[in-house]
Amino acid sequence: VHRARLAATNREVVVKVQYPEVSRTIEPDFNNCERIAWWLDKSRVSEVRETKKHYINELDFCQEANNLQRVRANLAREFPQVRVPEPILEYC
């Protein structure tokens, strides 16, 4: 995550960067983890699978932006003093 400023509006923003190789390598990496877990302790394979789902979901920045909007709206009602970033959807 990096601080930045939009050139067009001079608005301060935070940029979350996803390197392209991450989305290409996460599936094979977790498949290998699953194999290792199967060899070492079969009871842990389901944990590896659940973790894999979580990480793959984290790579979907559009879904993350929608979640952020929902959290922002929910917290604003009950806790107006809590600041939650507003995603700029056209950049997601």
Side-chain angles (χ1 to χ4, degrees), residues 56-89:
I56 288 174
N57 285 338
E58 286 291 317
L59 295 176
D60 184 345
F61 282 4
C62 290
Q63 179 180 337
E64 187 172 349
N66 289 332
N67 292 340
L68 188 59
Q69 284 182 308
R70 192 176 68 249
V71 168
R72 179 182 166 89
N74 290 338
L75 286 178
R77 283 182 239 141
E78 295 292 323
F79 305 99
Q81 71 279 14
V82 175
R83 294 179 57 200
V84 178
E86 177 185 6
I88 305 173
L89 298 178

Side-chain angles (χ1 to χ4, degrees), residues 10-87:
N10 206 33
R11 180 179 177 183
E12 189 174 346
V13 295
V14 176
V15 178
K16 185 172 180 182
V17 177
Q18 182 180 126
Y19 295 97
E21 63 272 7
V22 171
S23 61
R24 289 192 304 267
T25 61
I26 196 163
E27 184 89 25
D29 286 348
F30 270 101
N31 289 342
N32 289 332
C33 288
E34 191 175 323
R35 284 186 194 102
I36 291 167
W38 190 83
W39 289 328
L40 297 176
D41 183 354
K42 291 175 183 64
S43 69
R44 300 288 187 160
V45 171
S46 62
E47 291 176 36
V48 173
R49 289 179 181 155
E50 286 302 310
T51 303
K52 176 182 173 181
K53 287 181 200 174
H54 172 75
Y55 273 83
I56 288 174
N57 285 338
E58 286 291 317
L59 295 176
D60 184 345
F61 282 4
C62 290
Q63 179 180 337
E64 187 172 349
N66 289 332
N67 292 340
L68 188 59
Q69 284 182 308
R70 192 176 68 249
V71 168
R72 179 182 166 89
N74 290 338
L75 286 178
R77 283 182 239 141
E78 295 292 323
F79 305 99
Q81 71 279 14
V82 175
R83 294 179 57 200
V84 178
E86 177 185 6

